[in-house]
Amino acid sequence: MAPQLPQTPQVRTNILKFLKIFMGIIRILQIVFGAGLWVTIAANKYEGSIHFVLFVAVLFWLLTLALFFLTLLDKQDLVPLLGGERWLCTNLAHDVAAVALYVPAIGVMIYKTNRNSYCNLEQYTHMCLYKVYLTAAVFACLCCLVYLLSVIYGACRKCRGEQTVI
């Protein structure tokens, strides 16, 4: 077994610092709720407009993971055109786009939930996606909420003239 390299104190300090600040906690919630949304949909039968919801959920889950790890490891300066001084604006643009696409995704999930509400009866014996769609709608709302919180927080920081996420 190869010896493990000790983690430098600076990297460990940056990681602990990021996980304790508001943006770190919000990013973790975005990842958890986004994963909950797309796993809920992907684990069940879906069709039609649900493809859009799945696209939004997976796209922003992957982008949020990338932003999270780049910020966590303090490597945002390595991203061409988007890193460095522009990192806060990059995060803000990502979060605004997420809110803009999650709002119609919520509408799709609410529509699908209402369309399947008839099968929520005990006497209904066929497969019913009502509870799946309801769960996905809740996860979509939670995702939109944490992205909206991130937009508000990032916009306030940008208005104060701050340049970094940490």
Side-chain angles (χ1 to χ4, degrees):
M1 187 165 142
Q4 292 186 354
L5 298 173
Q7 196 175 28
T8 63
Q10 181 65 26
V11 172
R12 183 173 292 158
T13 304
N14 283 346
I15 290 172
L16 292 175
K17 183 179 175 185
F18 180 66
L19 293 177
K20 290 179 183 177
I21 64 171
F22 183 76
M23 261 330 267
I25 295 167
I26 287 292
R27 287 286 183 235
I28 290 171
L29 289 175
Q30 290 167 350
I31 291 167
V32 169
F33 292 150
L37 174 58
W38 72 260
V39 167
T40 300
I41 293 171
N44 294 283
K45 184 181 178 186
Y46 59 92
E47 83 290 333
S49 56
I50 300 294
H51 288 94
F52 171 73
V53 178
L54 191 60
F55 167 75
V56 170
V58 172
L59 173 69
F60 283 103
W61 184 75
L62 291 171
L63 289 174
T64 303
L65 272 176
L67 290 176
F68 176 76
F69 283 114
L70 284 169
T71 307
L72 181 71
L73 299 173
D74 202 23
K75 298 296 183 190
Q76 59 267 25
D77 293 333
L78 300 177
V79 181
L81 299 176
L82 302 175
E85 295 177 356
R86 298 183 197 123
W87 192 244
L88 184 59
C89 285
T90 300
N91 279 270
L92 192 56
H94 165 266
D95 296 336
V96 167
V99 170
L101 288 176
Y102 265 112
V103 168
I106 291 169
V108 168
M109 292 313 307
I110 290 172
Y111 173 75
K112 286 292 198 175
T113 302
N114 285 336
R115 291 240 355 209
N116 287 286
S117 63
Y118 67 89
C119 67
N120 196 27
L121 303 170
E122 287 184 26
Q123 296 84 9
Y124 194 80
T125 58
H126 301 289
M127 182 177 167
C128 177
L129 293 175
Y130 174 77
K131 291 180 182 175
V132 172
Y133 290 158
L134 182 62
T135 304
V138 169
F139 274 122
C141 288
L142 290 172
C143 284
C144 191
L145 178 67
V146 292
Y147 279 109
L148 185 61
L149 285 173
S150 183
V151 166
I152 293 168
Y153 180 73
C156 289
R157 292 193 63 194
K158 185 65 180 164
C159 286
R160 283 187 268 153
E162 297 180 28
Q163 302 266 331
T164 62
V165 175
I166 296 181

